[in-house]
Amino acid sequence: MPQVRRILRQVSVETASRKRICHRERAKHEILKGEECLVIHDPVSGGSKNYCGSCALAILDIAADDLSALREHFE
């Protein structure tokens, strides 16, 4: 049986090894060393964007809504 494809491969949670900038609120939010952050990797450029915990939750809420809407088409 063929393997099921993972579509969220470019999204992960990392513990910051140094201070990072939250790409949603660059001027207001920062990610301190040791904090967990959401990282979205761009497979084309090889770069990534980091998001602090509060911004990550907002992003994941929207993603959950989008996945629910997609799932409704197949149930």
Side-chain angles (χ1 to χ4, degrees):
M1 182 170 167
Q3 184 176 2
V4 176
R5 184 175 182 160
R6 299 185 80 109
I7 61 172
L8 299 178
R9 185 174 280 179
Q10 68 271 15
V11 180
S12 63
V13 175
E14 294 180 7
T15 301
S17 59
R18 60 180 169 75
K19 182 179 169 184
R20 298 182 186 188
I21 296 172
C22 175
H23 283 272
R24 183 170 180 232
E25 294 281 342
R26 295 179 70 92
K28 297 179 183 178
H29 296 175
E30 59 184 21
I31 303 158
L32 301 177
K33 179 180 179 178
E35 290 184 339
E36 290 188 335
C37 58
L38 182 70
V39 180
I40 301 176
H41 302 275
D42 182 0
V44 175
S45 71
S48 61
K49 292 185 179 179
N50 307 295
Y51 299 93
C52 68
S54 62
C55 292
L57 288 174
I59 291 168
L60 293 173
D61 286 343
I62 291 171
D65 292 343
D66 291 345
L67 287 172
S68 292
L70 289 171
R71 181 178 284 279
E72 286 177 9
H73 290 282
F74 297 102
E75 292 181 343

